[in-house]
Amino acid sequence: MLRWMKKSNQNDSDAYTSTIDGMKKVYKKFVRPLEELYRYQEFYSPLLTDSDFDAPPTVMLLGQYSTGKTTFIKYLLETDYPGLRIGPEPTTDKFVAIMHGEQDQIIPGNALVVDQRHPYKVLTRFGNNFLQRFEAAVIKNPVLQGLNLLDTPGVLAGAKQTVNRGYDFTGVVKWFADRVDMIVMLFDAHKLDISDEFSQTILACKGNDTKIRIVLNKADKVTNQQLMRVYGALMWSLGKVLATPEVARVYIGSFWDQPYQNDDNRKLFEMEEEDLFRDIQTVPRGSIVRKLNDLVKRCRIAKTHAYIMAHI
């Protein structure tokens, strides 16, 4: 068991399974027949499958290039995953879903979207260019037994982000943001400027503000005085993009397996790391509530849609 993980509660696991089974029965017996009768899927979203309910909760990492997203995942798993590349240049050019499996392998996006065990079928609408930039990395790791991680390409600047991608990057981020259970946004203590492209990416997460966690990474490379100024500058920049009445929770630290360059704030970094990892550990339990809320919302929309169609 990894050092930051606490022993899972069997009762929580049983409650999760029974709740998911109950939601599937309610949907198949009452909701889906109504959706099929009034062609709900042609107006709103596709019909749900078992994989939409059974999919493990997911944590998505967002950030500009070289802010430490992939390194953060490696630090969390305490091991490499298939296809991992780390460097100062933009190395991650794909959306990578990291999930648990008995055998280490990479599953290409085109195969992933037709696999009924995964809820990615709808992603075909973003085109073949995106599917070539989407894959799953399967690895046997205790962290991933009840949780998936989603690594994303670093947000670039200018035409490299808006044109050269070859697919609707912001649209893909929005699709994932609506479905994941936590969004971790990483910022480099030396690169706090939020580009216009990254601002658009953050705005794509609008409506999912409660899922967002801010991480000020590589904080060990600045002094105490500099860290205070960096933190203030980050909050000022976020205030112009995140139009929320509450102050965003910011975790400060250096999330990698190397010794701290500035040891003065070790106690602070260790406490912040513990808080963040504890927050991540609560994701599976919160996932049940999210899926239940999404189902209730879908039922209301389906009911309203049925009344409108019946009247017409």
Side-chain angles (χ1 to χ4, degrees):
M1 187 62 65
L2 301 187
R3 67 181 188 281
W4 61 270
M5 294 183 64
K6 297 181 180 178
K7 186 175 180 181
S8 60
N9 190 330
Q10 183 63 36
N11 293 331
D12 288 348
S13 178
D14 294 341
Y16 180 88
T17 302
S18 61
T19 305
I20 293 298
D21 290 342
M23 285 192 287
K24 286 194 289 187
K25 290 178 182 178
V26 168
Y27 176 74
K28 291 178 180 179
K29 184 175 181 180
F30 299 106
V31 185
R32 180 162 181 150
L34 185 69
E35 293 180 345
E36 291 175 339
L37 178 63
Y38 292 103
R39 298 182 178 181
Y40 177 93
Q41 68 276 15
E42 297 181 15
F43 293 86
Y44 298 96
S45 57
L47 301 175
L48 298 180
T49 63
D50 285 349
S51 63
D52 292 306
F53 292 99
D54 296 332
T58 301
V59 176
M60 178 171 67
L61 285 88
L62 284 176
Q64 300 181 100
Y65 76 90
S66 195
T67 54
K69 297 183 298 297
T70 306
T71 304
F72 181 91
I73 293 176
K74 179 182 177 181
Y75 185 67
L76 201 65
L77 302 179
E78 296 188 4
T79 185
D80 294 351
Y81 62 81
L84 179 143
R85 290 175 56 224
I86 295 174
E89 76 282 3
T91 52
T92 304
D93 63 345
K94 297 180 179 180
F95 285 82
V96 183
I98 302 118
M99 57 187 65
H100 184 269
E102 294 301 319
Q103 183 178 3
D104 292 3
Q105 61 177 319
I106 295 177
I107 305 176
N110 284 289
L112 201 58
V113 295
V114 297
D115 191 335
Q116 296 298 322
R117 296 172 299 175
H118 304 294
Y120 300 128
K121 182 179 179 181
V122 183
L123 289 173
T124 54
R125 74 185 190 190
F126 292 106
N128 192 55
N129 284 337
F130 166 71
L131 295 181
Q132 292 178 353
R133 293 287 181 269
F134 178 50
E135 66 184 23
V138 181
I139 180 176
K140 187 175 182 179
N141 189 287
V143 175
L144 301 173
Q145 288 181 346
L147 183 74
N148 285 354
L149 301 173
L150 182 67
D151 197 5
T152 61
V155 178
L156 304 175
K160 290 181 291 184
Q161 170 73 16
T162 56
V163 178
N164 296 349
R165 290 285 189 193
Y167 60 89
D168 183 7
F169 180 86
T170 304
V172 172
V173 169
K174 178 172 176 53
W175 188 90
F176 277 116
D178 291 339
R179 289 159 179 82
V180 300
D181 299 272
M182 180 182 289
I183 304 169
V184 178
M185 293 186 181
L186 286 96
F187 292 84
D188 189 330
H190 291 88
K191 296 186 297 184
L192 290 181
D193 180 56
I194 300 178
S195 65
D196 292 341
E197 291 74 23
F198 191 34
S199 296
Q200 294 174 4
T201 303
I202 295 175
L203 290 175
C205 301
K206 190 174 183 180
N208 300 288
D209 303 328
T210 57
K211 301 178 183 179
I212 296 176
R213 306 292 185 273
I214 307 297
V215 173
L216 179 58
N217 200 15
K218 306 181 184 181
D220 65 316
K221 297 183 179 181
V222 297
T223 64
N224 290 350
Q225 185 181 28
Q226 291 172 337
L227 181 59
M228 180 182 65
R229 293 174 177 172
V230 165
Y231 180 82
L234 175 62
M235 298 302 292
W236 181 79
S237 298
L238 288 173
K240 297 192 297 181
V241 182
L242 294 175
T244 56
E246 298 84 9
V247 177
R249 174 66 165 96
V250 178
Y251 297 92
I252 304 172
S254 185
F255 298 91
W256 66 337
D257 55 5
Q258 300 299 317
Y260 293 140
Q261 295 186 16
N262 184 355
D263 208 49
D264 294 342
N265 294 310
R266 171 178 293 275
K267 187 64 176 178
L268 171 64
F269 297 158
E270 290 175 349
M271 293 173 60
E272 291 288 279
E273 178 181 303
E274 184 179 347
D275 287 350
L276 176 57
F277 288 166
R278 189 186 300 117
D279 201 0
I280 293 175
Q281 276 196 301
T282 63
V283 168
R285 181 179 297 181
S287 176
I288 304 177
V289 178
R290 182 190 65 82
K291 289 181 179 180
L292 186 59
N293 287 340
D294 288 347
L295 181 60
V296 171
K297 180 180 177 181
R298 187 182 181 97
C299 291
R300 290 173 176 169
I301 296 175
K303 181 180 178 181
T304 303
H305 174 74
Y307 278 133
I308 295 174
M309 294 299 292
H311 178 75
I312 294 175

